[in-house]
Amino acid sequence: MPARLLARLLGAALAVVMFTAGLSLLPGAGMAEGQAMAGGSPQRWTLSDAAGQRWGLVLFEQPDHIYPAGPRLRLNALTPGLQIDHLRPLQVDDGAGQQWQLPNRSEELVAAEETALPQGAAQFDAAGLMPAPSDLRPLRLLVPVANGGADVSLMLGADPTKQLARRAADL
């Protein structure tokens, strides 16, 4: 097996293990996750897009006092090589005409002195879900992809949709 392929497979396996164990591969993000757990457990789901690429979705309250408080939605590409555009918002729709744009808050993923954002992870301000979506309709996330690629569509099942709607209704 070529060394490059083996390295990609090992990296993907490590990302999956770290995600399911509740750890983060992002610099500075491990502490934020631990703090969020103390104030209320983050909720985690694993999703797949139409191409079979796997994504981790985390919903949590921003625990770091240097950033505005509120719910955050973090997306982690579990398939190596995916790059998220950190300059564009996350598009959300319910398939019945209701649409939202969640501001990109990826700068919260790294320490203040860092300038390089993680290519395969992004964070969005879930407070942008106003008015709150219905928890009866599945939500579609349109993930902004870097380098001119087609944005990735992710469908949320009943549980993540219900949790997002509940957080938005509590705002």
Side-chain angles (χ1 to χ4, degrees), residues 24-129:
S24 175
L25 296 173
L26 304 173
M31 187 172 98
E33 286 288 296
Q35 290 174 353
M37 293 180 121
S41 295
Q43 294 159 317
R44 303 170 191 280
W45 300 273
T46 301
L47 309 169
S48 292
D49 61 28
Q53 301 171 123
R54 294 174 38 87
W55 296 82
L57 176 69
V58 183
L59 179 62
F60 66 99
E61 291 293 321
Q62 174 53 267
D64 196 332
H65 68 278
I66 66 171
Y67 299 114
R72 297 295 189 270
L73 189 109
R74 182 179 299 158
L75 285 165
N76 296 304
L78 301 179
T79 301
L82 296 173
Q83 296 181 17
I84 301 174
D85 185 341
H86 296 291
L87 300 177
R88 294 191 290 147
L90 179 69
Q91 303 289 326
V92 181
D93 73 69
D94 66 0
Q98 187 87 19
Q99 297 179 350
W100 300 265
Q101 286 191 9
L102 305 186
N104 195 306
R105 299 285 184 251
S106 293
E107 71 278 0
E108 297 175 355
L109 292 172
V110 296
E113 63 275 359
E114 295 289 324
T115 56
L117 297 173
Q119 293 181 352
Q123 189 160 292
F124 302 91
D125 190 343
L129 285 170

